[in-house]
Amino acid sequence: MQKLKLEELGLLPLSASHLNRFITERPVWLMKKFWNLKTAYNVNMMRGHALEWGVEEKLKGKFQNLRHTIDQKGKIINHPVLQYYDKLVRDNDFVGDKVTKLRTGLPEMVNAAVDKLNEYGTLISAQDWLKFSVDVEIDGTVHKIPFTGRTDFFMESKEGVRTLVDTKCTSKMPSNASYGNKLQQVLYQRATNFSTDLLYVGWGVVSEKPRVIGPKIKVIPIENDPKVMLRIQQTIIAMEKLLRISDDREILKQIIIPNPDDFMSWNDDETYRLRKEIWGW
């Protein structure tokens, strides 16, 4: 059996984020895989990490005897999740108004997320790493493509129904799950044979009359859509075929050209600097 370029170049195992980046941010994919660009952290990620930590700790009963202090606006101001968030932003040198803004409501968001998760039943495990494979036929040969991925919360009902719930910290509640999130969850369904739900958690206006600010929750179940798995297989094939054309990064940078208007790709200094180094602009 011919050795895949993906394997030869050390790009296996794949992940959902790897596939999503190849689909939506191919220049950044090239920079990460061939120029060793490191993932840039931002304060939104720190907020998401703090939320997941707080939810896991509370699900495991760590905050049972906690007594809250409330400020004049009724918000909790002495919760461990606030201390955890503060350490994350301090360790990563984040400062400014946005740091303070994203800190607001974290304890209440943790409580709301745990209340919703408890509706699923009991926590089985949290923050697990999965290892699995996806069969992909390339030029008449079926290859088992290894994947890894990290899950959030495995919940089990009294009836034995298991659900993988993935939390997403957001400033705006989506009407539908993004393609990238669907791709991730369909892969996890393949790995576990469990149903998967996305649990979006945010902070904002809950009602207008009277105007109430508080935690916002939305659950979006993910169907095991065979079309998504087909796209996953097609993306792996496209990645392999591209690397067979050339695995020379100097040639690949002539094939893959950045879009300078794609703000999300270039919103951190290091990615922007490296883009200028590679493409000259």
Side-chain angles (χ1 to χ4, degrees), residues 50-51 53-59 62-70 75-86 103 105-112 114:
L51 177 73
W53 176 85
V55 169
E56 181 180 356
E57 292 293 290
K58 183 162 186 176
L59 283 172
K62 299 291 182 67
F63 303 150
Q64 288 182 349
N65 299 320
L66 183 66
R67 292 186 177 182
H68 297 311
T69 300
I70 307 297
K75 294 194 293 294
I76 300 170
I77 59 175
N78 70 327
H79 197 284
V81 74
L82 295 174
Q83 299 166 18
Y84 188 84
Y85 172 80
D86 290 343
R103 190 180 190 272
L106 265 173
E108 290 84 356
M109 290 164 63
V110 167
N111 292 340
V114 170

Side-chain angles (χ1 to χ4, degrees), residues 7-276:
E7 181 181 3
E8 183 181 314
L9 295 172
L11 301 182
L12 298 179
L14 297 178
S15 66
S17 61
H18 190 157
L19 294 187
N20 278 324
R21 195 168 288 113
F22 184 81
I23 294 168
T24 62
E25 297 181 296
R26 197 162 298 179
V28 178
W29 169 83
L30 180 65
M31 294 158 73
K32 288 181 69 67
K33 300 306 175 184
F34 289 84
W35 270 270
N36 298 317
L37 173 69
K38 303 301 180 185
T39 298
Y41 289 103
N42 59 57
V43 69
N44 291 297
M45 294 170 68
M46 301 300 101
R47 185 197 198 195
H49 290 331
L51 177 73
E52 290 179 2
W53 176 85
V55 169
E56 181 180 356
E57 292 293 290
K58 183 162 186 176
L59 283 172
K60 292 179 176 179
K62 299 291 182 67
F63 303 150
Q64 288 182 349
N65 299 320
L66 183 66
R67 292 186 177 182
H68 297 311
T69 300
I70 307 297
D71 68 8
Q72 293 179 345
K73 295 182 179 179
K75 294 194 293 294
I76 300 170
I77 59 175
N78 70 327
H79 197 284
V81 74
L82 295 174
Q83 299 166 18
Y84 188 84
Y85 172 80
D86 290 343
K87 184 177 187 307
L88 287 176
V89 298
R90 186 171 59 249
D91 289 349
N92 287 277
D93 298 322
F94 291 119
V95 295
D97 293 342
K98 189 172 184 179
V99 169
T100 303
K101 180 181 178 180
L102 293 182
R103 190 180 190 272
T104 303
L106 265 173
E108 290 84 356
M109 290 164 63
V110 167
N111 292 340
V114 170
D115 287 344
K116 179 57 68 174
L117 284 165
N118 282 333
E119 295 178 12
Y120 288 87
T122 304
L123 175 69
I124 300 302
S125 63
Q127 308 299 324
D128 296 324
W129 279 100
L130 299 178
K131 294 182 180 181
F132 56 100
S133 64
V134 172
D135 288 346
V136 180
E137 183 176 340
I138 303 176
D139 297 335
T141 301
V142 176
H143 298 266
K144 288 190 175 296
I145 306 298
F147 273 82
T148 61
R150 197 194 71 173
T151 64
D152 283 351
F153 305 105
F154 276 117
M155 308 299 295
E156 184 174 52
S157 70
K158 292 180 180 179
E159 296 74 28
V161 177
R162 290 193 171 190
T163 306
L164 169 60
V165 185
D166 192 6
T167 55
K168 301 293 182 185
C169 196
T170 182
S171 58
K172 184 178 180 181
M173 291 293 145
S175 55
N176 298 292
S178 68
Y179 173 71
N181 285 335
K182 288 180 182 177
L183 183 153
Q184 180 189 50
Q185 298 309 309
V186 167
L187 282 170
Y188 292 171
Q189 288 171 2
R190 168 65 64 93
T192 64
N193 290 321
F194 299 154
S195 61
T196 59
D197 286 356
L198 293 173
L199 174 59
Y200 291 92
V201 187
W203 180 261
V205 178
V206 179
S207 66
E208 288 289 355
K209 294 182 179 180
R211 186 175 176 83
V212 176
I213 307 294
K216 303 176 74 174
I217 294 285
K218 183 171 184 175
V219 175
I220 299 181
I222 302 298
E223 296 181 2
N224 192 353
D225 188 345
K227 294 192 295 293
V228 175
M229 183 54 66
L230 176 62
R231 292 169 190 159
I232 289 170
Q233 293 167 328
Q234 290 173 339
T235 303
I236 295 169
I237 293 169
M239 198 181 298
E240 173 67 18
K241 294 288 187 177
L242 173 63
L243 295 172
R244 288 184 185 181
I245 292 172
S246 178
D247 58 9
D248 184 332
R249 69 181 192 176
E250 296 301 320
I251 294 176
L252 288 171
K253 78 176 188 181
Q254 298 175 55
I255 298 173
I256 300 172
I257 302 298
N259 174 10
D261 292 331
D262 184 0
F263 171 76
M264 293 304 295
S265 293
W266 318 116
N267 65 353
D268 73 88
D269 293 341
E270 177 58 19
T271 307
Y272 180 68
R273 182 201 65 77
L274 188 56
R275 187 194 84 188
K276 291 182 68 175

